[in-house]
Amino acid sequence: MLKLQDNYTTLITTFEDFILLVYTVIDDLYQQFAPVSVSQRRNCQNARLSDSEIITLSVCGEILGIDSENAWYNFVKRNYRHLFPRLCCRTRFNRTRRALLQVTELLRQKLVLTF
């Protein structure tokens, strides 16, 4: 899983690269640490965006300092739709993001312990 070596370097040249890097880290952590009650909840397999994608977008928006949920969603929709071709509607995204706040915090804690 997330083991860094002394000679390991990742070059991030664009914000798109950053989103992809954050997604891979979050997806690995999600697969390992997400509670079964969340990862296997009802109708989860029918969702347009995975939990990892929603958490990634949430974290990236926070890192950029964008406070408005609607502004961040519209920014992603305009500029990064190619990364998230199955982007759900804004209300569903925000509702699911809020429901995953505890899982997001758990993944942040695990990430701090990993590095």
Side-chain angles (χ1 to χ4, degrees):
M1 196 197 113
L2 303 165
K3 296 198 184 225
L4 296 177
Q5 301 170 356
D6 292 334
N7 60 355
Y8 180 79
T9 305
T10 300
L11 183 62
I12 300 173
T13 57
T14 64
F15 187 64
E16 183 175 324
D17 291 342
F18 178 74
I19 291 173
L20 294 173
L21 178 67
V22 169
Y23 174 75
T24 56
V25 170
I26 286 178
D27 192 50
D28 286 346
L29 290 171
Y30 181 85
Q31 299 302 325
Q32 188 173 8
F33 297 114
V36 174
S37 61
V38 173
S39 63
Q40 295 180 0
R41 66 188 182 277
R42 196 178 79 188
N43 295 327
C44 186
Q45 67 278 1
N46 297 332
R48 294 187 73 181
L49 283 179
S50 69
D51 290 348
S52 298
E53 290 172 316
I54 290 174
I55 294 170
T56 297
L57 287 173
S58 175
V59 168
C60 289
E62 290 174 17
I63 289 172
L64 281 180
I66 299 175
D67 293 335
S68 169
E69 293 175 339
N70 296 339
W72 174 240
Y73 176 85
N74 290 329
F75 179 79
V76 169
K77 188 175 179 179
R78 273 193 317 271
N79 299 303
Y80 297 105
R81 186 67 183 243
H82 61 284
L83 293 178
F84 305 97
R86 296 189 49 166
L87 190 63
C88 57
C89 68
R90 178 187 52 79
T91 56
R92 170 74 59 194
F93 171 78
N94 289 328
R95 208 173 26 238
T96 307
R97 184 191 62 75
R98 284 186 220 114
L100 291 170
L101 283 177
Q102 289 182 334
V103 175
T104 303
E105 186 57 33
L106 172 69
L107 297 183
R108 284 182 185 161
Q109 292 170 2
K110 297 298 183 181
L111 182 61
V112 168
L113 294 175
T114 302
F115 293 107

